[in-house]
Amino acid sequence: MTIGAAARRWITLGLNLVQKILGEHLVAGELKPGAEIAIRIDQTLTQDATGTMAYLQFEAMGIPRVRTECSVSYVDHNTLQTGFENADDHLFLQDAAARFGVWFSRPGNGICHQVHLERFAVPGRTLLGSDSHTPTCGGLGMIAMGAGGLDVACAMAGEPYALTMPAVVRVHLTGELGPWVSAKDVILELLRRETVRGGVGRIYEYDGPGVATLSVPERATITNMGAELGATTSVFPSDDRTREFLAFQKRAEAYRAIEADHDAMYDDRIDIDLSALEPLVACPHSPDAVQSIRELEGTRVVQALVGSCTNSSYRDMATVALMLRGRKVHPNLSAGVSPGSRQVFEMMARDGYLADLISAGVRILESACGPCIGMGQAPPSGGVSVRSFNRNFPGRSGTRDAQVYLASPEVCAAAMVCGELVHPERLGERPSVAVPASAIVDDGLIIPPPADGTSVAIRRGPNIKPLPAFEPIPDCLTLRVALKVADNITTDHISPAGSRFLPLRSNIPAISEYVFSPVDPEFASRCKEWGGGLILGGSNYGQGSSREHAALGPRYLGIRVVVAKSFARIHWSNLVNFGILPLVVEASTYDALEQGDEVEVCGVHSAVRSGGSVTLRLARTGAEFEARHHLTPAQAQILLAGGRLNAARGASGA
Ligand code: MIC
Ligand code: SF4
């Protein structure tokens, strides 16, 4: 194992897995929690809802071809084609991939994280993806992180990815999962203990004897939902189970063993006895509102869905099919499955599981994100839906007052039969799934890039609008508080998901009209009337997705500053990337400011340059408040330039 020189300088003790992988990729900084580091990115992934922006940004950089080992563009989110917009985006993405040297996974091939795990993930490598669930591939021993599209575009351009070195938390697993307990319950247990803020500034590294009892897809369920903890990423060692999975995928040559040293040091430790877990359920409207299935038994359910990037493996789907074999879906409930990849889908068909599901009355959806992102299957008004997915934020399902619960595929399947939340033991013995020795491998829907893409013309539908240009932030601003919101505001609140809004992802002026529409439909018109303003947020502002539209939209409406008690990692970077100043304030400042207040923010340039704090002056009372910005020197330059693209153009003299 070779460790980067910068890492070697200070590490004297054994290394944990995170230090090993980051050490091999370290370009600048020291691997000390809280220090600024920059790492080399080996692989990138984009998906269609964030990808159009990422490739427009890559194009604007004027670089002919990606400089990564492997970059893949997936079409999995915007697959419900109710108008021309999504189909046009797919063509744009296919051409952009060919032009810039990117692999293209066509619509129908599956969800980016599941397909990447199956076909591209390599232990010990780094992956940056324009989707918050990119850490899924941590299940295969990668350091895989979510980021905004512009950060991914920069990684495609060969730029190192800068981040604050997180604390590394050892999650020590012992025991073995009981018959009806699944990997989903491991991560729900962590969410119950740690909450949706617990992982901010942390990487969860799994070890202990329990690790060997979990297959790679089970590990991937756990690392996938590490995103819900707010973690930078989560990672499992690469061991015999990893070798087994890569052999199953007919990619045995990609295997490399990598694990922590026996005397590795960690910043914190959590212990989980897998044998002590029971089926858990996250209640509306947050993934950390976790209760035991026993407390919820008898809750009537009108919809049950299995799929998404969290629970889409062959074993997940086969388990559901076997639980439904010879049974029928409850008459008061609508059941659906959306297999995570075409590989899983085809194997289900060939092994007869699809027939079990069809015969039971399950609705078979395409292999895509689908209902997880509100692309179809919205539940009825006030209806209870139980899903094997990872997010249950209000309105995300497409029905504002729906009550969405998150649970394992086993709990979802039991609900499909019983029409209510029940412990799956109600259906008898857990069926045993025989996973074949090797998968059906057919990469026919993955188009490799041509050796030279320079002559490829990129088709652009009328909904694909050029990137808006943003001017740098002034030194002194007088802004009105355009909106005051509570703690844990998600990007789904800021730039809503769903079939109505997602087709506008390539059109910033159009999508900006819906900024904060689930919270306050007047927000966009108020910003226009007031000439922009500032947003006042609580703790963990911007949790959830990586969508940079939650920064681009507000910036387009003239928002120049977001003041909050604390920020979620990806959203914070996205704000900076588009020239919005994120400021952290004490709870008392948050309490003192009200929507509509006029606030003077002066001396921005010197404070941003020097790392000092900014003073907020409340016009109503004349009171002054201190606000901190936490920008690194590189981010300060980006902010002062009016965003990362401006900064890159300035640096290249363009
Ligand atoms: C999500 O699960 O919220 C999404 C849709 O996959 C997002 C990306 C997006 O908004 O396009 C994410 O997780 O980053
Ligand atoms: Fe797709 Fe849902 Fe996964 Fe996001 S969380 S990538 S919408 S399946």
Side-chain angles (χ1 to χ4, degrees):
M1 145 115 7
T2 50
I3 302 298
R8 203 194 294 276
R9 266 203 302 279
W10 71 276
I11 298 169
T12 51
L13 286 157
L15 299 174
N16 59 45
L17 179 56
V18 172
Q19 289 167 333
K20 284 190 183 181
I21 302 176
L22 290 183
E24 286 183 5
H25 290 83
L26 198 64
V27 175
E30 292 190 349
L31 297 178
K32 282 187 193 155
E36 284 310 308
I37 60 166
I39 58 164
R40 201 178 60 251
I41 296 296
D42 301 320
Q43 300 190 349
T44 63
L45 71 76
T46 56
Q47 42 88 340
D48 48 337
T50 54
T52 44
M53 278 296 133
Y55 295 103
L56 285 170
Q57 287 153 352
F58 185 81
E59 186 178 42
M61 290 175 203
I63 293 165
R65 197 172 174 89
V66 294
R67 294 173 180 158
T68 46
E69 286 174 3
C70 163
S71 287
V72 191
S73 170
Y74 293 91
V75 176
D76 53 2
H77 282 65
N78 282 348
T79 54
L80 202 61
Q81 291 155 225
T82 51
F84 62 90
E85 295 89 347
N86 293 344
D88 282 358
D89 282 357
H90 301 171
L91 297 179
F92 168 85
L93 290 166
Q94 182 163 355
D95 294 344
R99 169 82 160 265
F100 300 127
V102 173
W103 297 74
F104 183 68
S105 174
R106 301 184 62 192
N109 197 46
I111 306 174
C112 54
H113 309 303
Q114 175 75 19
V115 178
H116 208 85
L117 186 77
E118 291 169 357
R119 308 304 311 141
F120 292 99
V122 177
R125 313 305 283 166
T126 54
L127 167 68
L128 196 71
S130 62
D131 192 282
S132 65
H133 290 103
T134 303
T136 309
C137 287
L140 198 124
M142 293 189 92
I143 291 289
M145 289 174 288
L150 182 48
D151 283 332
V152 175
C154 291
M156 289 194 281
E159 284 182 31
Y161 179 61
L163 72 157
T164 305
M165 178 65 195
V168 183
V169 182
R170 176 183 192 181
V171 187
H172 190 71
L173 303 180
T174 51
E176 196 164 349
L177 295 173
W180 283 113
V181 185
S182 96
K184 179 68 146 242
D185 302 309
V186 179
I187 190 65
L188 289 176
E189 169 65 10
L190 262 175
L191 277 154
R192 189 184 69 76
R193 292 193 204 174
E194 304 283 293
T195 81
V196 290
R197 292 179 230 176
V200 176
R202 301 178 134 207
I203 296 181
Y204 291 93
E205 178 178 321
Y206 291 82
D207 84 339
V211 164
T213 68
L214 299 170
S215 67
V216 165
E218 288 177 304
R219 297 173 185 185
T221 293
I222 296 170
T223 54
N224 171 284
M225 272 189 87
E228 278 48 70
L229 291 162
T232 303
T233 190
S234 306
V235 64
F236 274 82
S238 172
D239 57 9
D240 285 345
R241 300 303 299 267
T242 319
R243 187 206 299 273
E244 184 186 289
F245 179 77
L246 286 167
F248 173 74
Q249 289 296 335
K250 302 186 181 140
R251 295 201 292 124
E253 71 292 346
Y255 178 68
R256 165 193 163 191
I258 176 162
E259 60 177 10
D261 291 334
H262 66 93
D263 55 348
M265 299 284 287
Y266 294 87
D267 302 299
D268 204 351
R269 174 175 171 146
I270 296 173
D271 286 275
I272 298 184
D273 176 4
L274 300 175
S275 321
L277 296 179
E278 55 177 351
L280 297 171
V281 181
C283 300
H285 295 283
S286 181
D288 62 359
V290 174
Q291 290 186 28
S292 152
I293 184 72
R294 305 238 183 242
E295 296 167 81
L296 298 163
E297 268 185 315
T299 307
R300 307 294 301 172
V301 179
V302 295
Q303 183 187 59
L305 299 170
V306 175
S308 92
C309 56
T310 319
N311 278 106
S312 268
S313 67
Y314 177 82
R315 185 170 176 272
D316 285 340
M317 295 293 163
T319 303
V320 174
L322 288 173
M323 287 174 70
L324 282 139
R325 181 170 283 177
R327 296 185 162 114
K328 291 285 179 238
V329 167
H330 191 276
N332 295 336
L333 173 142
S334 168
V337 295
S338 44
S341 69
R342 177 166 158 269
Q343 178 186 86
V344 169
F345 214 163
E346 183 173 350
M347 289 174 69
M348 286 165 66
R350 294 202 185 277
D351 296 347
Y353 294 124
L354 202 49
D356 292 327
L357 295 170
I358 293 169
S359 153
V362 175
R363 299 166 71 178
I364 311 298
L365 308 174
E366 86 173 301
S367 179
C369 299
C372 177
I373 190 61
M375 278 286 179
Q377 302 292 311
S381 297
V384 170
S385 175
V386 59
R387 301 166 163 215
S388 72
F389 307 166
N390 50 34
R391 289 190 174 141
N392 59 347
F393 301 141
R396 182 176 164 99
S397 64
T399 303
R400 196 168 278 224
D401 60 356
Q403 305 292 310
V404 177
Y405 292 73
L406 307 173
S408 64
E410 291 82 351
V411 167
C412 294
M416 286 177 183
V417 175
C418 301
E420 55 187 46
L421 292 178
V422 292
H423 193 297
E425 69 190 8
R426 173 95 66 97
L427 269 56
E429 295 272 293
R430 184 197 170 91
S432 113
V433 174
V435 177
S438 63
I440 296 176
V441 173
D442 167 8
D443 289 333
L445 285 194
I446 302 178
I447 305 178
D452 179 1
T454 42
S455 61
V456 175
I458 301 180
R459 285 165 286 182
R460 266 166 243 259
N463 186 52
I464 302 178
K465 300 290 184 216
L467 294 168
F470 297 129
E471 78 281 4
I473 191 162
D475 187 41
C476 203
L477 303 108
T478 302
L479 301 166
R480 289 183 75 179
V481 179
L483 189 68
K484 179 172 179 175
V485 284
D487 291 348
N488 290 325
I489 282 294
T490 72
T491 54
D492 281 359
H493 291 107
I494 308 172
S495 183
S499 56
R500 208 172 135 217
F501 310 108
L502 262 78
L504 304 177
R505 285 290 181 90
S506 320
N507 185 338
I508 299 304
I511 204 166
S512 299
E513 294 294 325
Y514 300 100
V515 173
F516 274 117
S517 56
V519 175
D520 179 352
E522 305 306 316
F523 178 80
S525 51
R526 189 158 60 245
C527 284
K528 284 182 204 156
E529 194 187 320
W530 292 359
L534 75 74
I535 294 166
L536 183 58
S539 306
N540 201 22
Y541 179 82
Q543 68 157 327
S545 85
S546 68
R547 71 191 68 139
E548 55 196 0
H549 302 78
L552 265 165
R555 178 67 190 87
Y556 187 80
L557 294 173
I559 296 296
R560 309 306 299 265
V561 176
V562 178
V563 176
K565 290 190 240 173
S566 68
F567 289 87
R569 177 185 69 93
I570 304 178
H571 185 60
W572 184 80
S573 301
N574 286 340
L575 290 172
V576 178
N577 280 348
F578 295 101
I580 297 180
L581 176 62
L583 291 174
V584 176
V585 290
E586 298 298 330
S588 54
T589 307
Y590 172 87
D591 293 340
L593 301 181
E594 292 307 332
Q595 192 164 309
D597 274 344
E598 198 171 85
V599 178
E600 258 179 39
V601 191
C602 273
V604 169
H605 291 181
S606 59
V608 165
R609 262 190 216 108
S610 68
S613 54
V614 176
T615 303
L616 307 179
R617 190 176 165 281
L618 176 58
R620 182 165 47 86
T621 61
E624 295 195 340
F625 306 93
E626 196 196 7
R628 283 158 289 120
H629 66 69
H630 301 305
L631 299 174
T632 63
Q635 282 167 330
Q637 272 181 17
I638 289 172
L639 192 99
L640 292 173
R644 193 161 180 183
L645 268 184
N646 290 359
R649 283 199 194 104
S652 69

